[in-house]
Amino acid sequence: MMTAEWYRRFAVREARGHSPTYEALALAVSADEHLVKLLDQLPQEKRQPNLLFAAAQYLGAPVATPDAFSAWAVQDWPELSGTMRSRRTQTNEPTRCATMLPILAQLPQPLALLEVGASAGLCLYPDAYQYQYGDGPIVLGPADSQVRLSCAISGNVPIPESMPAVVWRAGLDLNPLDVASDDDVRWLDALIWPEQQERRDRLHAAVRIARADPPHLVTGDLLADLPALVAQAPADATLVIFHSAVLTYVPPETRTAFTDLVRGLPCRWISNEGTGVLPELASAVKLDPDGPAMFLLALDGQPLGLASPHGQEVRWLTTHGASV
């Protein structure tokens, strides 16, 4: 996809309705030939809208108005592009746990969780957060948790009656972020869209939880280093390998190799990726090509639901719970 079209689609399909600021900036970038040419000097995976805007926020750019942003981006391009080259979009949104919890709660307990593309590991704590689904009065999770995740639902979502029991948690990432590092947390903060103060407050509350019990994060590749980390999981727990918005950043052949690998490991597999990332999973699902961007939520390759990218909504596709 051409860079200008990439930014236009981001504005319409992802930012619209969620961030007026990013919608306006993305449309402005798509129409700015000079800025598009500068972006085209970067590797393909470094041209993405979320990375540009996060790097800009991290550097204190004027994001409130498109004209000021464009002028700043061109003037400060060496520092901006350097930040984009050295950083990754490692959004660590705890609310994604709300879309996975209905699956996790149905699996044989206790659980050992292994997240691929873990960022700072905040999604490794589904048992530490509170949950409220739809308009229901029931709140699940620890009474003293500082994090409450709200998730809109449609369809026959199997809302859990109890929380999963997690006895082991680990993450794998090419460049794991450290919850104890103020600079790493600052980068996570910059990845949050400008108007979404609730997400920002939730991030910092989740960081406090993780700092009290730091996650076991391993620097490594999702193909070469996954089996060794799997071998560390306790044998008397159900191992769950999961990932969200990770495979979109690797080539198609790597996605195929990863799915082949994980299918052969002694685990259950939860994938939560954009609907076009694993086409073999999405082929049986009716999708609106012009609708808002959604993730396909699947267990062991079986599509179960559509989830909003940041976990605010899940639409169940089946008439019953996950097949466990």
Side-chain angles (χ1 to χ4, degrees):
M1 184 186 303
M2 301 295 289
T3 302
E5 176 62 13
W6 191 353
Y7 277 75
R8 191 196 69 79
R9 285 176 63 86
F10 174 85
V12 173
R13 297 199 62 201
E14 298 188 44
R16 182 164 294 172
H18 299 288
S19 174
T21 298
Y22 275 7
E23 179 183 357
L25 291 184
L27 289 173
V29 171
S30 71
D32 188 326
E33 293 184 4
H34 187 189
L35 192 47
V36 168
K37 287 181 180 178
L38 290 175
L39 287 165
D40 282 341
Q41 296 173 8
L42 298 172
Q44 175 75 18
E45 69 275 10
K46 296 294 184 178
R47 301 174 198 166
Q48 54 190 278
N50 271 323
L51 183 57
L52 169 65
F53 299 145
Q57 287 205 104
Y58 179 78
L59 296 173
V63 298
T65 57
D67 287 347
F69 172 80
S70 296
W72 174 89
V74 172
Q75 177 179 327
D76 290 80
W77 181 250
E79 185 178 19
L80 176 59
S81 61
T83 301
M84 293 173 70
R85 288 179 184 274
S86 64
R87 292 284 186 172
R88 300 173 183 270
T89 49
Q90 293 178 280
T91 300
N92 208 182
E93 175 51 65
T95 306
R96 288 171 177 162
C97 290
T99 64
M100 294 188 292
L101 192 75
I103 302 175
L104 294 174
Q106 293 185 79
L107 296 173
Q109 305 293 311
L111 304 179
L113 301 181
L114 196 168
E115 183 178 14
V116 175
S119 184
L122 301 183
C123 288
L124 285 166
Y125 297 83
D127 53 329
Y129 306 143
Q130 291 183 352
Y131 301 83
Q132 185 169 24
Y133 289 95
D135 298 324
I138 299 176
V139 176
L140 301 166
D144 61 348
S145 178
Q146 300 178 39
V147 176
R148 177 174 293 188
L149 309 178
S150 298
C151 184
I153 58 174
S154 58
N156 193 27
V157 178
I159 298 174
E161 296 181 357
S162 61
M163 295 291 289
V166 181
V167 296
W168 183 85
R169 59 192 101 223
L172 183 67
D173 200 290
L174 283 174
N175 179 40
L177 299 180
D178 183 359
V179 291
S181 165
D182 290 340
D183 187 60
D184 280 356
V185 173
R186 181 177 157 222
W187 175 246
L188 289 173
D189 190 288
L191 286 161
I192 296 174
W193 299 3
E195 298 86 354
Q196 299 175 351
Q197 185 60 41
E198 182 179 356
R199 285 185 62 204
R200 190 164 282 107
D201 294 340
R202 185 165 55 242
L203 166 72
H204 291 281
V207 165
R208 288 193 292 273
I209 289 174
R211 281 179 169 177
D213 179 24
H216 174 50
L217 301 181
V218 174
T219 302
D221 174 77
L222 80 172
L223 295 179
D225 300 300
L226 181 58
L229 189 53
V230 164
Q232 298 179 27
D236 56 352
T238 299
L239 174 62
V240 182
I241 294 177
F242 69 96
H243 51 91
S244 294
V246 172
L247 297 187
T248 188
Y249 298 117
V250 300
E253 60 271 20
T254 302
R255 299 173 198 170
T256 300
F258 173 78
T259 57
D260 290 344
L261 172 64
V262 77
R263 288 180 189 274
L265 294 172
C267 69
R268 307 304 296 269
W269 168 39
I270 297 176
S271 58
N272 188 38
E273 299 283 350
T275 53
V277 174
L278 295 173
E280 67 274 17
L281 272 61
S283 59
V285 178
K286 185 177 181 180
L287 301 170
D288 179 1
D290 299 316
M294 298 291 284
F295 285 1
L296 184 62
L297 183 66
L299 173 65
D300 300 334
Q302 174 192 351
L304 295 178
L306 293 172
S308 58
H310 294 141
Q312 315 96 309
E313 176 189 6
V314 62
R315 308 173 188 173
W316 216 245
L317 299 173
T318 68
T319 57
H320 50 77
S323 174
V324 299

